[in-house]
Amino acid sequence: MESRSFADAVAFSEEKMKKNALFDSPHLFYDLYCLLPGQAQKVHAHEGSDKVYYVLEGTGRFTVGDEEADLGRGKAVIARSGEPHGVRNESGENLVLLVTMAPRP
């Protein structure tokens, strides 16, 4: 059985948002995204894949399509296939997201 610890996977980079893989397969990925204050994942889209962001720590400003919302701990948002999406950490605290995408692009 494969298992991972979220706490052990949390790691940040001063240079840019850090993606830390928890599980990876030909069918999906399951990552922790770690963003320091001021860091962002630029708005982009994936044809044929859905992405779910779940906030573990902090507050992120999420863009999905034409909408923007600040979401905190315990909140999740989905970007369906083809929808532009991204996240920014405009808060003064670290942001840790659990991110799943399937099927894998």
Side-chain angles (χ1 to χ4, degrees):
M1 174 188 308
E2 289 184 67
S3 69
R4 304 284 186 274
S5 164
F6 287 177
D8 292 344
V10 172
F12 294 88
S13 168
E14 292 290 331
E15 291 140 26
K16 64 180 183 175
M17 175 191 84
K18 185 148 171 52
K19 296 180 183 181
N20 305 304
L22 291 168
F23 297 104
D24 193 6
S25 83
H27 309 288
L28 66 81
F29 73 72
Y30 196 70
D31 292 347
L32 284 185
Y33 287 8
C34 299
L35 295 88
L36 293 169
Q39 293 181 336
Q41 177 190 48
K42 69 180 180 175
V43 175
H44 63 288
H46 306 277
E47 288 299 327
S49 298
D50 296 335
K51 183 183 280 185
V52 175
Y53 298 93
Y54 178 80
V55 182
L56 292 172
E57 296 176 20
T59 300
R61 176 155 298 161
F62 293 86
T63 301
V64 178
D66 294 332
E67 297 182 71
E68 257 191 14
D70 291 332
L71 301 176
R73 186 180 185 154
K75 296 290 186 174
V77 65
I78 187 168
R80 299 196 185 274
S81 172
E83 280 189 305
H85 58 277
V87 60
R88 300 184 313 273
N89 183 358
E90 296 184 351
S91 76
E93 57 189 7
N94 293 343
L95 176 61
V96 179
L97 307 171
L98 179 60
V99 181
T100 304
M101 192 156 128
R104 188 174 176 75

